[in-house]
Amino acid sequence: MSAAELPGFSTSRFRAEREADWIAFDLLLTRLEKKGAAALTSDELLQLPILYRATLSSLSIARATSLDKALLDHLEALSIRGYFLVYGVRETRLSRIRRFFRYDWPAAVRALWKETLIIALIITLGVATSYSLVASNPEWYYNFVPEEMSGGRDPHATVEFLRSTLGHGKEAAADEQQSGLHVFATYLFTHNSQVSILSFALGFAFGVPTMMLEYYQGIGLGAMLALFAGKGLGVDFGGWLFIHGTTELFAAALSGAAGLRIGAAVVFPGARGRLEAASDAGRTAGKVMVGVILMLLVAGVLEGFGRQLITDTMLRYAIGTVMLLVWLAYYYIPRREDVA
C-alpha cells in the first residue's frame, strides 16, 4: 500500500493543501518570462524563491508517495522552469559581449602569461639568430626570406629602392592610396589570421610545431631588419614595422601561447585525463584566440591605412608605442572580477 492510499492522505487533499502555491508560482513565472523582473514588485521577487522551494517540497512528497503521473509531470515542469528563471543566468547578448571584453578576454590572456613570455622569447630568438647571421654574411638572407616575399628587397637592392618601399614621402603615400588600401588591408588581415590560427591549431601536437612556426616568424623579421640596418635604414624600418608590429606581434605571441597551453595540457595533464585537460585549456585558449583575431583586425587597419598614410618615422614609433601600452594596460591591469 502506497502512502497515497493511507488513511488521511490522498491526492485530492495533497493538491488542495498546496495548489494555491503552485498557481501563485506559475503566475509569477509567467509574468517574469513575458516582461522580465521589472514586472514584479519587491515582495513578489522575494516570494519567488520561497514558492520555488515549496514546489520542490511538493514534488519530493509526490515522488515519495507515488501520486498520479499527471501531477508529477506538472510539478517537475514547474520546478525546472522555476530553476532556470530564479537561479539560472539570464544575460542578454549585449551583456555577454560586454562581459567578454571587460573580463573574459583579458582574464584569459593573463592566465597565459607564462606561455606568452615563452613565445615572445622564441620570436626574439628567431630575430636574433637571423639578424646576426645576415649581418655577418648577407648571403644568409636568401635562406631566410623567399624571393617571392622579398619583392626585390634583398642585399643587392639600392638604398633608394629600399627607402621607397618604406612608404616615405607624399608621392609614395598617394601611390598607396590609388592602389586600393582597403584591398591591401583585407589581404593582410586574412593572411595574418590564417598564420595565427595555424599556430594555435598546431598546439595539439604537443606545442612543438607552434614553437617552430613562431621561431620562423622571428627568422624572417630578423633577416629583413638586418638588411635595412646594413643599408643605414634600420631606424626607418623600425618605424615602418612599429606602427602595426606592436599589435601584430603581440597577437602572434598570444596565438602561439594559446597553442602552447593546449600542447602543455596534452603532455602534462596532471591528475586529469588528457582529453579533460586539453578541453579545459581549450576553453581559455579559445577566448584568447577570439581576441587575437580582433587584434589582427586592428593591426590590419594600422598596416593597410595607418602605415601608408602616416609617413613620418617618429610618428609611426609614437603610434606603435601607444598601441603597445594600450594592449598591456587592457590585459594586465588588475580588475575586480576575474572569470578566467
Side-chain angles (χ1 to χ4, degrees), residues 44-251:
E44 288 172 334
L45 287 172
L46 293 174
Q47 282 293 312
L48 273 174
I50 297 173
L51 293 173
Y52 172 67
R53 288 192 290 271
T55 304
L56 282 184
S57 175
S58 298
L59 177 61
S60 177
I61 294 172
R63 283 172 172 168
T65 55
S66 303
L67 293 180
D68 65 86
K69 188 175 183 305
L71 180 59
L72 272 173
D73 291 343
H74 173 69
L75 290 175
E76 285 178 351
L78 191 60
S79 298
I80 293 173
R81 188 167 150 229
Y83 173 79
F84 284 109
L85 286 171
V86 176
Y87 297 108
V89 177
R90 298 190 301 278
E91 277 190 312
T92 64
R93 183 173 301 175
L94 182 61
S95 297
R96 289 196 295 271
I97 293 174
R98 188 184 302 121
R99 168 173 287 277
F100 175 77
F101 283 104
R102 292 184 63 183
Y103 303 112
D104 294 3
W105 178 16
V109 170
R110 287 197 299 277
L112 300 185
W113 70 270
K114 292 180 181 177
E115 291 85 350
T116 305
L117 275 181
I118 292 172
I119 294 297
L121 289 174
I122 290 173
I123 295 175
T124 303
L125 180 61
V127 171
T129 301
S130 58
Y131 183 92
S132 60
L133 289 173
V134 174
S136 61
N137 181 2
E139 292 302 314
W140 276 100
Y141 180 86
Y142 300 102
N143 295 315
F144 300 138
V145 182
E147 185 177 354
E148 60 270 20
M149 290 185 63
S150 66
R153 294 172 295 186
D154 57 43
H156 298 292
T158 64
V159 174
E160 289 72 22
F161 173 77
L162 291 177
R163 182 181 287 110
S164 70
T165 65
L166 298 178
H168 286 307
K170 294 181 179 178
E171 292 182 358
D175 290 343
E176 293 292 350
Q177 292 182 59
Q178 292 173 3
S179 66
L181 295 182
H182 62 287
V183 176
F184 184 50
T186 301
Y187 164 76
L188 294 173
F189 169 68
T190 304
H191 174 265
N192 293 334
S193 298
Q194 289 173 342
V195 172
S196 295
I197 291 173
L198 181 62
S199 179
F200 164 68
L202 291 176
F204 287 98
F206 310 115
V208 175
T210 296
M211 291 186 284
M212 294 175 64
L213 184 59
E214 297 293 340
Y215 181 77
Y216 181 75
Q217 284 193 330
I219 285 285
L221 176 59
M224 195 70 78
L225 178 59
L227 170 68
F228 280 85
K231 301 286 186 177
L233 298 172
V235 174
D236 295 317
F237 178 78
W240 178 85
L241 175 69
F242 221 67
I243 188 171
H244 77 284
T246 52
T247 298
E248 184 175 304
L249 290 175
F250 203 160

Side-chain angles (χ1 to χ4, degrees), residues 264-333:
V266 173
V267 178
F268 308 108
R272 301 166 295 176
R274 293 188 190 281
L275 189 60
E276 182 183 358
S279 177
D280 291 343
R283 279 192 285 273
T284 300
K287 294 175 186 175
V288 173
M289 284 307 298
V290 172
V292 163
I293 299 302
L294 296 176
M295 287 183 71
L296 290 174
L297 180 61
V298 174
V301 172
L302 289 171
E303 188 169 11
F305 292 87
R307 191 176 68 186
Q308 313 304 331
L309 300 175
I310 299 171
T311 58
D312 183 81
T313 298
M314 291 301 107
L315 187 54
R316 288 175 169 177
Y317 274 109
I319 293 174
T321 301
V322 168
M323 290 306 302
L324 178 60
L325 293 176
V326 166
W327 291 121
L328 290 174
Y330 173 66
Y331 288 135
Y332 298 109
I333 287 181

Side-chain angles (χ1 to χ4, degrees), residues 1-14 64-67:
M1 179 181 294
S2 69
E5 297 170 337
L6 291 173
F9 190 96
S10 66
T11 299
S12 57
R13 181 179 175 185
F14 176 78
T65 55
S66 303
L67 293 180

